[in-house]
Amino acid sequence: MPSPLSLATTRPIAQPDPRKVVVTIEGLNKYYGAYHVLHDIDLQVREGERIVLCGPSGSGKSTLIRCINRLEIAEKGTIRVNDTDLAETSRQAAQVRSEIGMVFQHFNLFPHMSVLDNCTLAPMSVRGLSRQEAEERARFYLNKVGIESQAGKYPSQLSGGQQQRVAIARALCMKPKIMLFDEPTSALDPEMVAEVLDVLVRLADTGMTMLCVTHEMGFARQVAERVLFLDGGQIIEDSPPEAFFNNPQSSRAKGFLAQILH
């Protein structure tokens, strides 16, 4: 009979993740007036991680990722990206913020500008690219999201799914180090959701660091390395998708999954 020691040595030992920590959030608190939206959030994100944030409406998911690129300003706590405090007003902090791309629920494209012009504006004005360089980069990313043939059209001439793919390409044109997605399919008709999720899956395969707020649980199972379940402004669960979907630890997560997966 094997000794207890020999049995113990056969168990796999969890290895620490060697990837660099690129986002560190400590003690983050956010209020809207008297409403306490985020409660003492602590979170680390490693380079190349794919994280899905889920939870009921009003749980603080969108607010959390909006704080990461300072679209929302937290009253307490720190957010550091690549060891730079985003609360600083230094040129370095501004540079770091410019390397965080975001795609919203609503596409926020400029309606009076063509698809191509929507994608070239920021690289020219912020990154200092020439018109030719910006157009080459824009066409490259429009091709990546499968919509390069629509470069000369205006947003009103595109479907919702096409507009969201343009929004993704526009964010990628800045060559961000981190991409944030705030429910990128929630404003789409059901038949358009799949085409946008397919773009996100392909983007995840490139090794991009991604944080995505979504209710698309099939996407979470397929793409996420970690699932964060938020409720009441707190991270209730933080686990691999297999563990979260098959064995959620909190009664709140169990109830949420029972509703959303029924």
Side-chain angles (χ1 to χ4, degrees):
M1 182 180 225
S3 71
L5 180 60
S6 67
L7 282 174
T9 57
T10 63
R11 293 177 184 147
I13 299 173
Q15 297 297 319
D17 193 324
R19 293 175 293 183
K20 175 185 175 184
V21 174
V22 292
V23 179
T24 300
I25 299 173
E26 294 179 335
L28 197 72
N29 284 265
K30 172 65 183 171
Y31 295 82
Y32 291 133
Y35 180 46
H36 198 172
V37 186
L38 297 176
H39 297 255
D40 297 318
I41 297 290
D42 294 320
L43 177 65
Q44 285 192 336
V45 180
R46 294 184 180 274
E47 190 172 38
E49 268 199 304
R50 304 180 302 277
I51 297 176
V52 163
L53 296 84
C54 64
S57 297
S59 59
K61 310 178 298 295
S62 294
T63 301
L64 175 55
I65 66 167
R66 288 172 68 89
C67 284
I68 293 175
N69 68 351
R70 288 181 62 80
L71 287 175
E72 300 285 354
I73 308 299
E75 283 74 17
K76 182 182 176 184
T78 60
I79 300 175
R80 299 182 68 83
V81 177
N82 291 324
D83 299 323
T84 298
D85 187 344
L86 293 194
E88 295 177 1
T89 56
S90 66
R91 181 177 296 180
Q92 185 181 9
Q95 171 66 26
V96 168
R97 287 196 294 272
S98 76
E99 293 175 350
I100 302 173
M102 187 157 182
V103 176
F104 302 87
Q105 299 178 42
H106 301 286
F107 325 120
N108 294 345
L109 301 175
F110 295 111
H112 63 289
M113 298 173 68
S114 70
V115 165
L116 188 62
D117 287 341
N118 265 279
C119 292
T120 58
L121 179 63
M124 292 170 64
S125 59
V126 178
R127 295 283 194 247
L129 270 62
S130 69
R131 178 77 194 184
Q132 181 180 347
E133 291 170 327
E135 286 195 5
E136 287 175 357
R137 183 180 293 185
R139 290 186 185 281
F140 174 81
Y141 285 112
L142 288 169
N143 182 59
K144 283 288 187 184
V145 300
I147 206 167
E148 202 248 340
S149 62
Q150 310 297 322
K153 291 186 177 179
Y154 288 84
S156 62
Q157 297 174 293
L158 305 179
S159 70
Q162 289 174 322
Q163 289 185 61
Q164 191 62 293
R165 284 191 277 164
V166 173
I168 294 170
R170 180 178 62 177
L172 292 174
C173 283
M174 290 291 284
K175 292 197 171 180
K177 302 287 178 57
I178 299 166
M179 281 289 288
L180 309 175
F181 297 90
D182 185 8
E183 301 197 30
T185 60
S186 66
L188 300 177
D189 292 334
E191 65 269 20
M192 298 177 184
V193 169
E195 67 182 67
V196 173
L197 290 179
D198 181 60
V199 170
L200 298 185
V201 169
R202 285 187 274 125
L203 181 59
D205 288 340
T206 68
M208 171 72 73
T209 306
M210 298 171 57
L211 288 89
C212 183
V213 175
T214 185
H215 291 295
E216 299 292 339
M217 295 297 98
F219 170 76
R221 281 181 183 270
Q222 181 179 359
V223 169
E225 291 180 64
R226 291 162 64 192
V227 175
L228 305 184
F229 175 75
L230 281 76
D231 188 41
Q234 297 178 300
I235 298 175
I236 305 298
E237 301 204 22
D238 179 352
S239 58
E242 197 67 22
F244 176 72
F245 288 109
N246 294 335
N247 189 28
Q249 298 301 298
S250 64
S251 59
R252 191 67 188 90
K254 290 175 184 176
F256 172 79
L257 288 173
Q259 285 188 327
I260 206 164
L261 297 177
H262 72 280

